[in-house]
Short mmCIF file of all heavy atoms in Angstrom, two decimals:
data_model
loop_
_atom_site.label_atom_id
_atom_site.label_comp_id
_atom_site.label_asym_id
_atom_site.label_seq_id
_atom_site.Cartn_x
_atom_site.Cartn_y
_atom_site.Cartn_z
N SER A 1 7.75 -12.88 -4.88
CA SER A 1 8.65 -11.74 -5.11
C SER A 1 7.99 -10.70 -6.01
O SER A 1 8.17 -9.49 -5.80
CB SER A 1 9.98 -12.22 -5.71
OG SER A 1 9.80 -12.82 -6.98
N ILE A 2 7.22 -11.14 -7.00
CA ILE A 2 6.47 -10.19 -7.84
C ILE A 2 5.45 -9.43 -7.01
O ILE A 2 5.27 -8.22 -7.15
CB ILE A 2 5.78 -10.93 -9.00
CG1 ILE A 2 6.81 -11.55 -9.94
CG2 ILE A 2 4.87 -9.98 -9.78
CD1 ILE A 2 6.22 -12.47 -10.99
N LEU A 3 4.76 -10.15 -6.13
CA LEU A 3 3.77 -9.54 -5.25
C LEU A 3 4.39 -8.42 -4.41
O LEU A 3 3.84 -7.32 -4.31
CB LEU A 3 3.15 -10.61 -4.35
CG LEU A 3 2.14 -10.13 -3.30
CD1 LEU A 3 0.91 -9.54 -3.96
CD2 LEU A 3 1.76 -11.28 -2.37
N TRP A 4 5.55 -8.69 -3.82
CA TRP A 4 6.21 -7.69 -2.98
C TRP A 4 6.80 -6.55 -3.80
O TRP A 4 6.89 -5.41 -3.32
CB TRP A 4 7.26 -8.35 -2.10
CG TRP A 4 6.63 -9.06 -0.93
CD1 TRP A 4 6.27 -10.37 -0.86
CD2 TRP A 4 6.23 -8.47 0.31
NE1 TRP A 4 5.68 -10.64 0.35
CE2 TRP A 4 5.64 -9.50 1.09
CE3 TRP A 4 6.31 -7.18 0.84
CZ2 TRP A 4 5.15 -9.26 2.37
CZ3 TRP A 4 5.82 -6.95 2.12
CH2 TRP A 4 5.25 -7.97 2.87
N LEU A 5 7.20 -6.82 -5.03
CA LEU A 5 7.65 -5.74 -5.91
C LEU A 5 6.50 -4.78 -6.20
O LEU A 5 6.66 -3.55 -6.11
CB LEU A 5 8.18 -6.33 -7.23
CG LEU A 5 8.54 -5.31 -8.32
CD1 LEU A 5 9.68 -4.40 -7.88
CD2 LEU A 5 8.91 -6.03 -9.62
N LEU A 6 5.33 -5.32 -6.52
CA LEU A 6 4.16 -4.47 -6.75
C LEU A 6 3.79 -3.70 -5.50
O LEU A 6 3.46 -2.50 -5.57
CB LEU A 6 2.98 -5.33 -7.22
CG LEU A 6 3.13 -5.99 -8.59
CD1 LEU A 6 1.99 -6.97 -8.83
CD2 LEU A 6 3.16 -4.94 -9.70
N ALA A 7 3.85 -4.36 -4.34
CA ALA A 7 3.52 -3.70 -3.08
C ALA A 7 4.46 -2.54 -2.80
O ALA A 7 4.04 -1.47 -2.31
CB ALA A 7 3.57 -4.71 -1.94
N SER A 8 5.74 -2.71 -3.09
CA SER A 8 6.71 -1.64 -2.85
C SER A 8 6.42 -0.45 -3.75
O SER A 8 6.52 0.71 -3.32
CB SER A 8 8.14 -2.14 -3.07
OG SER A 8 8.36 -2.50 -4.43
N GLY A 9 6.05 -0.72 -5.01
CA GLY A 9 5.70 0.37 -5.92
C GLY A 9 4.46 1.12 -5.46
O GLY A 9 4.41 2.36 -5.49
N TYR A 10 3.45 0.38 -5.00
CA TYR A 10 2.25 1.00 -4.46
C TYR A 10 2.59 1.90 -3.27
O TYR A 10 2.08 3.02 -3.15
CB TYR A 10 1.27 -0.08 -3.99
CG TYR A 10 0.24 -0.49 -5.02
CD1 TYR A 10 0.57 -1.37 -6.04
CD2 TYR A 10 -1.06 -0.02 -4.95
CE1 TYR A 10 -0.37 -1.77 -6.98
CE2 TYR A 10 -2.01 -0.41 -5.88
CZ TYR A 10 -1.66 -1.29 -6.89
OH TYR A 10 -2.59 -1.68 -7.83
N SER A 11 3.44 1.40 -2.37
CA SER A 11 3.75 2.13 -1.14
C SER A 11 4.44 3.47 -1.44
O SER A 11 4.16 4.47 -0.77
CB SER A 11 4.64 1.28 -0.24
OG SER A 11 3.99 0.08 0.14
N ILE A 12 5.32 3.47 -2.42
CA ILE A 12 6.10 4.68 -2.70
C ILE A 12 5.34 5.67 -3.57
O ILE A 12 5.32 6.87 -3.28
CB ILE A 12 7.44 4.30 -3.38
CG1 ILE A 12 8.28 3.42 -2.48
CG2 ILE A 12 8.22 5.56 -3.77
CD1 ILE A 12 9.50 2.83 -3.17
N TRP A 13 4.71 5.17 -4.63
CA TRP A 13 4.24 6.08 -5.69
C TRP A 13 2.73 6.21 -5.83
O TRP A 13 2.27 7.03 -6.64
CB TRP A 13 4.82 5.63 -7.03
CG TRP A 13 6.30 5.83 -7.11
CD1 TRP A 13 6.99 6.99 -6.89
CD2 TRP A 13 7.29 4.85 -7.44
NE1 TRP A 13 8.33 6.79 -7.06
CE2 TRP A 13 8.56 5.49 -7.40
CE3 TRP A 13 7.23 3.50 -7.79
CZ2 TRP A 13 9.74 4.82 -7.68
CZ3 TRP A 13 8.42 2.83 -8.06
CH2 TRP A 13 9.65 3.49 -8.00
N MET A 14 1.94 5.46 -5.09
CA MET A 14 0.50 5.61 -5.22
C MET A 14 0.09 7.02 -4.81
O MET A 14 0.33 7.45 -3.68
CB MET A 14 -0.22 4.59 -4.34
CG MET A 14 -1.74 4.75 -4.33
SD MET A 14 -2.48 4.38 -5.92
CE MET A 14 -2.20 2.61 -6.00
N PRO A 15 -0.53 7.80 -5.72
CA PRO A 15 -0.97 9.15 -5.34
C PRO A 15 -1.99 9.11 -4.20
O PRO A 15 -2.84 8.23 -4.14
CB PRO A 15 -1.61 9.67 -6.63
CG PRO A 15 -0.95 8.88 -7.72
CD PRO A 15 -0.74 7.52 -7.14
N ARG A 16 -1.88 10.07 -3.28
CA ARG A 16 -2.72 10.09 -2.10
C ARG A 16 -4.21 10.19 -2.43
O ARG A 16 -5.05 9.72 -1.66
CB ARG A 16 -2.33 11.26 -1.19
CG ARG A 16 -0.92 11.17 -0.64
CD ARG A 16 -0.54 12.44 0.11
NE ARG A 16 0.88 12.44 0.45
CZ ARG A 16 1.36 12.06 1.62
NH1 ARG A 16 0.55 11.64 2.56
NH2 ARG A 16 2.66 12.09 1.86
N CYS A 17 -4.52 10.77 -3.58
CA CYS A 17 -5.93 10.95 -3.95
C CYS A 17 -6.62 9.61 -4.24
O CYS A 17 -7.85 9.55 -4.30
CB CYS A 17 -6.07 11.88 -5.14
SG CYS A 17 -5.20 11.35 -6.63
N TYR A 18 -5.83 8.54 -4.40
CA TYR A 18 -6.40 7.22 -4.65
C TYR A 18 -6.40 6.33 -3.40
O TYR A 18 -6.78 5.17 -3.47
CB TYR A 18 -5.64 6.51 -5.77
CG TYR A 18 -5.68 7.24 -7.09
CD1 TYR A 18 -4.55 7.94 -7.55
CD2 TYR A 18 -6.84 7.27 -7.87
CE1 TYR A 18 -4.59 8.63 -8.75
CE2 TYR A 18 -6.87 7.96 -9.06
CZ TYR A 18 -5.74 8.64 -9.49
OH TYR A 18 -5.78 9.33 -10.69
N PHE A 19 -5.96 6.89 -2.27
CA PHE A 19 -5.98 6.12 -1.03
C PHE A 19 -7.43 5.82 -0.63
O PHE A 19 -8.33 6.62 -0.94
CB PHE A 19 -5.32 6.91 0.11
CG PHE A 19 -3.83 7.00 0.03
CD1 PHE A 19 -3.11 6.53 -1.07
CD2 PHE A 19 -3.10 7.58 1.06
CE1 PHE A 19 -1.74 6.63 -1.14
CE2 PHE A 19 -1.73 7.69 1.01
CZ PHE A 19 -1.04 7.22 -0.09
N PRO A 20 -7.67 4.72 0.07
CA PRO A 20 -9.02 4.47 0.61
C PRO A 20 -9.47 5.63 1.49
O PRO A 20 -8.66 6.23 2.21
CB PRO A 20 -8.83 3.19 1.43
CG PRO A 20 -7.64 2.51 0.83
CD PRO A 20 -6.74 3.61 0.36
N THR A 21 -10.75 5.95 1.43
CA THR A 21 -11.28 7.12 2.12
C THR A 21 -10.99 7.10 3.61
O THR A 21 -10.66 8.13 4.21
CB THR A 21 -12.80 7.21 1.90
OG1 THR A 21 -13.07 7.17 0.50
CG2 THR A 21 -13.36 8.51 2.48
N PHE A 22 -11.08 5.92 4.24
CA PHE A 22 -10.91 5.85 5.69
C PHE A 22 -9.49 6.15 6.14
O PHE A 22 -9.24 6.38 7.33
CB PHE A 22 -11.35 4.48 6.23
CG PHE A 22 -10.50 3.32 5.77
CD1 PHE A 22 -9.37 2.93 6.48
CD2 PHE A 22 -10.84 2.61 4.62
CE1 PHE A 22 -8.59 1.88 6.05
CE2 PHE A 22 -10.06 1.54 4.19
CZ PHE A 22 -8.93 1.17 4.91
N LEU A 23 -8.54 6.19 5.19
CA LEU A 23 -7.16 6.52 5.54
C LEU A 23 -6.89 8.01 5.40
O LEU A 23 -5.82 8.48 5.81
CB LEU A 23 -6.17 5.75 4.65
CG LEU A 23 -6.10 4.24 4.82
CD1 LEU A 23 -5.11 3.66 3.84
CD2 LEU A 23 -5.73 3.86 6.25
N GLY A 24 -7.83 8.74 4.81
CA GLY A 24 -7.54 10.13 4.49
C GLY A 24 -6.45 10.16 3.44
O GLY A 24 -6.53 9.49 2.42
N GLN A 25 -5.39 10.93 3.71
CA GLN A 25 -4.24 10.95 2.80
C GLN A 25 -2.96 10.65 3.58
O GLN A 25 -1.89 11.20 3.29
CB GLN A 25 -4.15 12.30 2.09
CG GLN A 25 -5.32 12.53 1.14
CD GLN A 25 -5.10 13.72 0.22
OE1 GLN A 25 -4.18 14.52 0.40
NE2 GLN A 25 -5.96 13.86 -0.77
N ASN A 26 -3.09 9.75 4.53
CA ASN A 26 -1.98 9.39 5.41
C ASN A 26 -1.16 8.26 4.79
O ASN A 26 -1.58 7.11 4.77
CB ASN A 26 -2.53 8.97 6.78
CG ASN A 26 -1.43 8.81 7.81
OD1 ASN A 26 -0.44 8.13 7.59
ND2 ASN A 26 -1.61 9.45 8.97
N ARG A 27 0.03 8.60 4.27
CA ARG A 27 0.83 7.58 3.59
C ARG A 27 1.36 6.50 4.53
O ARG A 27 1.35 5.32 4.17
CB ARG A 27 1.98 8.21 2.79
CG ARG A 27 2.74 7.20 1.93
CD ARG A 27 3.70 7.85 0.96
NE ARG A 27 3.04 8.65 -0.04
CZ ARG A 27 2.53 8.15 -1.18
NH1 ARG A 27 2.59 6.85 -1.43
NH2 ARG A 27 1.95 8.96 -2.04
N PRO A 28 1.86 6.85 5.73
CA PRO A 28 2.31 5.77 6.63
C PRO A 28 1.22 4.74 6.91
O PRO A 28 1.49 3.54 6.95
CB PRO A 28 2.72 6.53 7.90
CG PRO A 28 3.14 7.87 7.41
CD PRO A 28 2.19 8.18 6.29
N GLN A 29 -0.02 5.19 7.11
CA GLN A 29 -1.11 4.26 7.33
C GLN A 29 -1.40 3.44 6.07
O GLN A 29 -1.72 2.25 6.15
CB GLN A 29 -2.37 5.00 7.78
CG GLN A 29 -2.29 5.57 9.18
CD GLN A 29 -3.59 6.20 9.65
OE1 GLN A 29 -4.63 6.05 9.00
NE2 GLN A 29 -3.54 6.91 10.77
N PHE A 30 -1.28 4.09 4.92
CA PHE A 30 -1.48 3.38 3.66
C PHE A 30 -0.42 2.30 3.48
O PHE A 30 -0.73 1.18 3.05
CB PHE A 30 -1.44 4.37 2.48
CG PHE A 30 -1.53 3.71 1.13
CD1 PHE A 30 -2.71 3.14 0.69
CD2 PHE A 30 -0.41 3.64 0.31
CE1 PHE A 30 -2.79 2.52 -0.55
CE2 PHE A 30 -0.48 3.02 -0.93
CZ PHE A 30 -1.68 2.47 -1.36
N ILE A 31 0.83 2.62 3.81
CA ILE A 31 1.90 1.63 3.71
C ILE A 31 1.62 0.45 4.63
O ILE A 31 1.83 -0.71 4.24
CB ILE A 31 3.26 2.28 4.03
CG1 ILE A 31 3.65 3.30 2.94
CG2 ILE A 31 4.36 1.22 4.16
CD1 ILE A 31 4.89 4.10 3.24
N CYS A 32 1.14 0.73 5.84
CA CYS A 32 0.79 -0.36 6.77
C CYS A 32 -0.30 -1.24 6.17
O CYS A 32 -0.24 -2.48 6.27
CB CYS A 32 0.32 0.22 8.11
SG CYS A 32 1.64 0.93 9.12
N LEU A 33 -1.30 -0.63 5.54
CA LEU A 33 -2.37 -1.39 4.90
C LEU A 33 -1.82 -2.25 3.77
O LEU A 33 -2.20 -3.44 3.64
CB LEU A 33 -3.44 -0.43 4.36
CG LEU A 33 -4.60 -1.08 3.60
CD1 LEU A 33 -5.41 -2.01 4.51
CD2 LEU A 33 -5.51 0.00 2.99
N VAL A 34 -0.92 -1.70 2.96
CA VAL A 34 -0.32 -2.44 1.85
C VAL A 34 0.49 -3.63 2.39
O VAL A 34 0.40 -4.75 1.86
CB VAL A 34 0.58 -1.53 1.00
CG1 VAL A 34 1.40 -2.35 0.00
CG2 VAL A 34 -0.26 -0.50 0.26
N VAL A 35 1.27 -3.41 3.44
CA VAL A 35 2.10 -4.47 4.01
C VAL A 35 1.22 -5.59 4.56
O VAL A 35 1.48 -6.78 4.32
CB VAL A 35 3.02 -3.92 5.10
CG1 VAL A 35 3.70 -5.06 5.86
CG2 VAL A 35 4.07 -2.99 4.50
N ILE A 36 0.16 -5.22 5.29
CA ILE A 36 -0.74 -6.23 5.87
C ILE A 36 -1.42 -7.02 4.75
O ILE A 36 -1.49 -8.26 4.80
CB ILE A 36 -1.80 -5.56 6.77
CG1 ILE A 36 -1.13 -5.00 8.03
CG2 ILE A 36 -2.89 -6.56 7.16
CD1 ILE A 36 -2.04 -4.12 8.86
N THR A 37 -1.92 -6.31 3.74
CA THR A 37 -2.58 -6.98 2.62
C THR A 37 -1.62 -7.92 1.89
O THR A 37 -1.99 -9.04 1.50
CB THR A 37 -3.12 -5.93 1.62
OG1 THR A 37 -4.02 -5.04 2.30
CG2 THR A 37 -3.87 -6.61 0.47
N THR A 38 -0.37 -7.48 1.73
CA THR A 38 0.63 -8.30 1.04
C THR A 38 1.00 -9.53 1.87
O THR A 38 1.19 -10.62 1.31
CB THR A 38 1.88 -7.46 0.73
OG1 THR A 38 1.50 -6.27 0.04
CG2 THR A 38 2.84 -8.23 -0.15
N LEU A 39 1.10 -9.36 3.17
CA LEU A 39 1.38 -10.51 4.04
C LEU A 39 0.27 -11.55 3.97
O LEU A 39 0.53 -12.75 3.83
CB LEU A 39 1.56 -10.04 5.49
CG LEU A 39 2.89 -9.38 5.85
CD1 LEU A 39 2.82 -8.76 7.24
CD2 LEU A 39 4.03 -10.37 5.76
N VAL A 40 -0.98 -11.08 4.03
CA VAL A 40 -2.12 -11.99 3.92
C VAL A 40 -2.11 -12.69 2.57
O VAL A 40 -2.32 -13.91 2.48
CB VAL A 40 -3.44 -11.24 4.14
CG1 VAL A 40 -4.65 -12.14 3.84
CG2 VAL A 40 -3.53 -10.71 5.57
N SER A 41 -1.86 -11.92 1.51
CA SER A 41 -1.83 -12.49 0.16
C SER A 41 -0.70 -13.50 0.01
O SER A 41 -0.84 -14.50 -0.70
CB SER A 41 -1.67 -11.38 -0.88
OG SER A 41 -2.73 -10.45 -0.81
N THR A 42 0.42 -13.24 0.69
CA THR A 42 1.55 -14.17 0.65
C THR A 42 1.15 -15.53 1.22
O THR A 42 1.44 -16.58 0.63
CB THR A 42 2.74 -13.61 1.44
OG1 THR A 42 3.18 -12.38 0.83
CG2 THR A 42 3.90 -14.60 1.47
N PHE A 43 0.45 -15.52 2.36
CA PHE A 43 0.01 -16.78 2.96
C PHE A 43 -1.07 -17.45 2.10
O PHE A 43 -1.09 -18.67 1.95
CB PHE A 43 -0.50 -16.54 4.37
CG PHE A 43 0.58 -16.26 5.36
CD1 PHE A 43 0.72 -15.00 5.93
CD2 PHE A 43 1.50 -17.24 5.72
CE1 PHE A 43 1.73 -14.72 6.84
CE2 PHE A 43 2.52 -16.98 6.64
CZ PHE A 43 2.64 -15.71 7.20
#
């Protein structure tokens, strides 16, 4: 639950300038990356 709380905060408030370069500044893609990473981390 702590992991998903952090992931939700990252998804909403992470400034676009800190996104990985390959994502550009696309927040929907960044959210997908966060969700996938969180799912993997959960397992």
Side-chain angles (χ1 to χ4, degrees):
S1 63
I2 295 171
L3 176 64
W4 282 94
L5 173 63
L6 293 172
S8 65
Y10 267 79
S11 298
I12 299 171
W13 292 306
M14 176 66 69
R16 296 173 190 264
C17 59
Y18 299 105
F19 287 6
T21 307
F22 65 88
L23 293 179
Q25 294 192 349
N26 189 309
R27 187 170 294 276
Q29 290 185 10
F30 175 71
I31 292 174
C32 287
L33 177 63
V34 170
V35 170
I36 291 170
T37 303
T38 307
L39 283 170
V40 172
S41 300
T42 298
F43 287 111

